[in-house]
Amino acid sequence: METKKVWLVTGASKGLGLTLVKKLLDNGYRVAATSRNAQSLVEAIGGESDSFLPLEVSLTDNDAVEAAVKKIISHFGKLDVVVNNAGYGQLGTLEELTDAETRENFDVNVFAPLNVIRNVMPYLRAQKSGNIFNIASVGGLFGSFPGWGVYCSTKFAMAGFTEALAEEAKEFGIHATVVYPGYFRTDFLKSSSLRTPKSPIQEYEAARQSEQAHLQDINGNQPNDPEKAADVLIAISEQEKPPVHLLLGSDAYGMLKNKIDIITNDAEQWKEYTVSTGY
């Protein structure tokens, strides 16, 4: 009987990450999960066992990530599926967010998953198989949300490096997928999870309205079920040829179509200028 795959899920103490880990364990997979506080994983899921390895890791520290990956290989003997799920939302216009606020969002949402990729790839290359899921956001393909520019740009970055990774890794039998979730009913939009600007500028009325809408109206009323998202990720991981781009939610699909229309209309309206630059 084939032994079930070993998964690594980052940011697993709450939200989609926690839902996915529980579902994986219920279905007989072996799972390593990371959080900034290992005790939160133990309380939510359980202690270390033959099937579960909770890890306290600062993902922005490459040495810490390297050590964690070595622990996973030592514990399970292999690694098959990697889910870069850790990240957080940062509200604020480009003007009002400080350099420190902006860089921290990029550190967690962009450079941390790059640390994970850098350290898991040698093992996946050696076994010539594996899946890497990078959990972006619908904000990684449609950025026209006032007050979400920095966050969306981190997710655009994730989409870009996943496309490159898919090309770099395919010769080793490794698949990379960027996942664009729409609005899922997790704690992502709770005030305890979503960061707001330290020095808001009240003149940005649209950004303030968006901020309040997400914290008060959308939070708790998101149309998508994280349990079903976990089911999709597990199903995709078993596909022979998984997609490079995976949208989750009918709202995500609608935003993609909207983005395509916007780009196409701009391209056609300004085509005369676009094609005028050749020698």
Side-chain angles (χ1 to χ4, degrees), residues 67-261:
V69 173
K70 287 180 179 178
K71 286 182 182 178
I72 295 167
I73 301 300
S74 175
H75 189 80
F76 292 119
K78 60 181 299 195
L79 178 60
D80 299 295
V81 185
V82 177
V83 183
N84 275 311
N85 172 70
Y88 70 91
Q90 175 66 66
L91 275 165
T93 66
L94 299 183
E95 178 186 354
E96 64 197 357
L97 286 180
T98 65
D99 179 71
E101 287 172 300
T102 300
R103 288 178 184 274
E104 186 171 2
N105 204 207
F106 269 84
D107 281 343
V108 174
N109 291 7
V110 178
F111 292 106
L114 288 174
N115 286 342
V116 173
I117 291 166
R118 185 180 303 115
N119 285 287
V120 300
M121 278 298 293
Y123 298 97
L124 302 183
R125 279 194 298 107
Q127 69 189 22
K128 295 195 179 301
S129 66
N131 293 74
I132 297 175
F133 291 101
N134 293 323
I135 309 298
S137 163
V138 70
L141 52 82
F142 189 79
S144 299
F145 303 100
W148 288 88
V150 166
Y151 172 76
C152 287
S153 66
T154 68
K155 297 305 184 177
F156 268 81
M158 177 175 272
F161 70 64
T162 304
E163 288 185 351
L165 178 63
E167 290 300 311
E168 295 166 356
K170 67 181 182 182
E171 65 183 288
F172 306 106
I174 301 165
H175 304 286
T177 299
V178 54
V179 183
Y180 304 96
Y183 285 98
F184 278 79
R185 203 167 297 180
T186 68
D187 52 9
F188 177 78
L189 292 179
K190 290 183 178 179
S191 57
S192 59
S193 299
L194 182 63
R195 300 188 190 182
T196 54
K198 295 177 181 178
S199 301
I201 300 172
Q202 294 306 319
E203 286 87 341
Y204 282 106
E205 294 183 8
R208 298 288 79 78
Q209 290 170 2
S210 175
E211 180 180 309
Q212 291 307 306
H214 281 85
L215 288 169
Q216 297 179 6
D217 301 327
I218 299 174
N219 181 40
N221 296 304
Q222 297 96 323
N224 294 301
D225 182 353
E227 294 278 346
K228 294 179 180 178
D231 288 336
V232 171
L233 292 177
I234 294 171
I236 294 294
S237 75
E238 299 295 343
Q239 297 295 314
E240 183 178 348
K241 295 182 179 180
V244 175
H245 299 272
L246 176 64
L247 281 78
L248 289 181
S250 58
D251 52 346
Y253 185 82
M255 289 184 199
L256 172 65
K257 302 297 287 185
N258 190 19
K259 178 64 175 284
I260 291 172
D261 289 343

Side-chain angles (χ1 to χ4, degrees), residues 10-15 17-18 33-37 40-41 44-45 85 187:
T10 69
S13 63
K14 58 185 178 180
L18 178 58
T34 78
S35 175
R36 289 172 295 176
N37 180 1
S40 63
L41 293 171
I45 303 166
N85 172 70
D187 52 9

